Amino acid sequence: MVTKIVLPETELPTHWYNIIPDLPVPPPPALHPGTHQPAGPDDFAPIFPMDLILQEVSSERFIEIPEEVREVYRLWRPTPMYRAHNLEKVIDGPARIYYKYEGVSPAGSHKPNTAVAQAYYNAKAGVKKLSTETGAGQWGSALSFACALFGLECKVFMVRSSYDQKPYRKAMIETWGATVHSSPSELTQAGRSIKEADPDTPGSLGIAISEAIEVAANDEDTKYSIGSALNHVLLHQTVIGEEALKQLALAGETPDVVIGCAGGGSNFGGFSFPFVREKLAGNMDPVVRAVEPAAAPSLTRGSYRYDFGDTVGMTPLLKMHTLGHDFVPDPIHAGGLRYHGMSPLVSLLKEEGIIEAESLQQTETFGRAVQFARAEGIIPGPEPTHAVASAMMEAERAKEAGEEKVIVFNLSGHGHFDMSAYQEYLEGTLVDYEYPADRIAAAMERVPVVAG
Ligand SMILES: Cc1ncc(COP(=O)(O)O)c(C=O)c1O
């Protein structure tokens, strides 16, 4: 009875998978925020190195992973896939449950898969310093780790609510040599103006992105690095799904349900896109589901339209599911899911009916995560508690229906620095947030209207 399906280092993927050529319709282009015309590589050049810009718009199906990046991946990749035998016993139904575990990376999540690639391409282009946002602290720690390996300086804007909840994430970021600032900060025009308007703001990913872009746009030696949402980030994350496909095949399984949590969509996209490729090719037919928090339900409750990726409105306009770029979600513990938008590629797949989405409240997801931890041992990060909960509910539905389903989900990171959230859950003080309909409606009124 196999529990851990491990691949040898020789099975580390050699290529990232780009889903764009396999989409049923071409993805709508990013638009210049001023002219509303399609944004070209030059529009991105002040903030990203050209290799990453070209990956953002590439139509090549497979892109070779540079050996320098694979060398770093080998520190923790391939990551294990587990058969959740103990969880299956708890549920006591016919479903077989598997999870891919990304928490074995040095930073504790999937985020280094793209951090290492982005640091590598920036260093190759002669960039000296990167600026970035972080919600959960996972991305900021992943990028500071990657920058340490490639000799880059790194400046992290950490969303205030996470900065206050997770002091050890901050220490981790500093241990790898980066500097970290609570966002909104006094360091940028964006931060100062937001603080002036709302001194008690918990911050948001959108605000931290505005600050990080402002720093990069005003300094020739600094580029901006993004932790999620954009095409090149999801591309780098496809190592997860490519490995998972092989691991499930080794277990002799074909999935019926593929699940990931979604903030900006990078672990969900990276895990599920290789399965979506096989689904579109007719080789399997799983339900593919993104799970998001009820407090920031972009895919389930947002509108599919052009909007900014940041709060202030500095990014190109992206066609995506959005709650409005200046909507500030309530301070739930899944800081990495507190984002107003969604990856344009994930959004398009949802619009085309190729994937589905659901939203869950945090007391439900933490309750399930505690059950999971007591059965499987691993304490999930607050973000993947959403995937854990959805997978468990799916298995319970399979039990009721007497169906022998194969369920696979991505456990995108551990929760070792998020124990204050578990403490609140265990003490009974964790609260749910209602769908903030009026605040979202107000934010949507400020989304630019794009013709066509
Ligand atoms: C462990 C973990 N999972 C998921 C997420 C959500 O991001 P994404 O949707 O890009 O995977 C984060 C973001 O910080 C994270 O730290």
Side-chain angles (χ1 to χ4, degrees):
M1 196 167 76
V2 173
T3 296
K4 216 160 56 279
I5 307 158
V6 285
L7 297 172
E9 277 182 23
T10 48
E11 292 288 326
L12 182 71
T14 54
H15 291 73
W16 292 303
Y17 167 56
N18 176 16
I19 199 169
I20 290 176
D22 291 333
L23 293 172
V25 292
L31 302 181
H32 186 280
T35 62
H36 292 189
Q37 293 305 305
D42 288 350
D43 294 313
F44 290 100
I47 55 168
F48 294 128
M50 200 42 76
D51 281 334
L52 292 175
I53 296 171
L54 294 177
Q55 288 182 357
E56 186 64 24
V57 295
S58 173
S59 52
E60 255 179 84
R61 181 171 282 111
F62 292 100
I63 295 177
E64 194 168 356
I65 307 175
E67 183 46 34
E68 292 87 337
V69 173
R70 297 180 78 231
E71 210 174 284
V72 180
Y73 279 174
R74 280 189 209 104
L75 290 174
W76 73 94
R77 303 210 72 85
T79 60
M81 174 175 279
Y82 289 87
R83 170 90 184 265
H85 289 297
N86 289 334
L87 187 68
E88 287 175 18
K89 280 186 209 135
V90 172
I91 292 171
D92 192 26
R96 297 194 290 284
I97 308 172
Y98 293 83
Y99 57 95
K100 176 79 168 156
Y101 185 44
E102 288 293 303
V104 293
S105 80
S109 75
H110 65 295
K111 296 286 181 181
N113 298 331
T114 182
V116 170
Q118 292 190 44
Y120 164 76
Y121 287 116
N122 274 286
K124 187 172 158 235
V127 174
K128 301 274 179 292
K129 195 167 171 181
L130 293 181
S131 64
T132 198
E133 74 288 339
T134 193
Q138 285 274 16
W139 168 243
S141 28
L143 193 67
S144 61
F145 152 66
C147 283
L149 294 183
F150 289 100
L152 296 169
E153 285 178 53
C154 181
K155 190 192 246 337
V156 179
F157 289 91
M158 185 166 183
V159 174
R160 182 196 265 177
S161 54
S162 290
Y163 188 92
D164 295 341
Q165 280 163 358
K166 303 182 194 187
Y168 295 120
R169 273 281 164 204
K170 175 176 173 282
M172 213 173 167
I173 291 169
E174 289 170 339
T175 299
W176 276 309
T179 53
V180 53
H181 308 277
S182 175
S183 169
S185 75
E186 292 292 337
L187 297 181
T188 64
Q189 182 56 42
R192 286 188 295 272
S193 60
I194 288 163
K195 266 177 111 168
E196 198 178 303
D198 183 5
D200 297 325
T201 178
S204 71
L205 272 167
I207 294 170
I209 294 173
S210 293
E211 292 205 272
I213 293 181
E214 187 181 317
V215 166
N218 292 329
D219 178 0
E220 249 189 29
D221 289 335
T222 304
K223 296 269 186 223
Y224 166 63
S225 179
I226 187 161
S228 189
L230 292 187
N231 302 350
H232 65 273
V233 180
L234 274 68
L235 172 81
H236 301 151
Q237 293 293 356
T238 57
V239 287
I240 310 172
E242 293 295 2
E243 288 177 8
L245 269 178
K246 284 188 194 171
Q247 287 163 310
L248 272 189
L250 277 179
E253 299 280 26
T254 308
D256 296 300
V257 190
V258 174
I259 296 172
C261 67
S266 79
N267 89 88
F268 170 75
F271 177 57
S272 69
F273 285 1
F275 289 96
V276 171
R277 174 185 72 219
E278 299 305 316
K279 177 174 165 135
L280 294 173
N283 298 328
M284 54 177 69
D285 192 23
V287 166
V288 181
R289 181 183 307 139
V291 194
E292 55 183 13
S298 54
L299 269 177
T300 47
R301 310 287 287 264
S303 308
Y304 183 58
R305 59 185 283 188
Y306 275 103
D307 197 4
F308 297 110
D310 71 313
T311 297
V312 168
M314 287 193 270
T315 69
L317 291 161
L318 304 168
K319 185 99 182 255
M320 60 181 177
H321 286 89
T322 179
L323 301 166
H325 57 277
D326 63 6
F327 167 67
V328 176
D330 291 311
I332 50 166
H333 282 278
L337 307 185
R338 283 185 68 236
Y339 186 51
H340 68 270
M342 182 51 65
S343 143
L345 291 175
V346 171
S347 295
L348 180 62
L349 289 172
K350 166 78 178 4
E351 275 310 286
E352 292 293 314
I354 296 168
I355 64 158
E356 62 176 46
E358 76 175 326
S359 64
L360 298 176
Q361 291 281 10
Q362 64 177 357
T363 52
E364 169 86 49
T365 71
F366 275 96
R368 299 288 185 163
V370 167
Q371 272 185 294
F372 177 85
R374 289 176 186 175
E376 293 293 315
I378 297 169
I379 300 176
E383 295 80 13
T385 63
H386 292 73
V388 169
S390 182
M392 288 174 70
M393 291 191 278
E394 185 71 42
E396 286 170 1
R397 284 195 294 272
K399 179 180 176 180
E400 273 164 36
E403 284 170 359
E404 213 183 281
K405 280 203 174 152
V406 176
I407 301 165
V408 58
F409 70 94
N410 192 38
L411 182 41
S412 54
H414 65 63
H416 298 176
F417 298 88
D418 306 285
M419 296 316 297
S420 63
Y422 281 89
Q423 208 167 8
E424 279 185 24
Y425 173 78
L426 296 169
E427 288 168 357
T429 54
L430 190 72
V431 293
D432 284 334
Y433 292 98
E434 286 309 309
Y435 170 65
D438 50 339
R439 285 190 287 135
I440 291 172
M444 289 308 296
E445 278 176 23
R446 294 184 289 273
V447 173
V449 177
V450 172

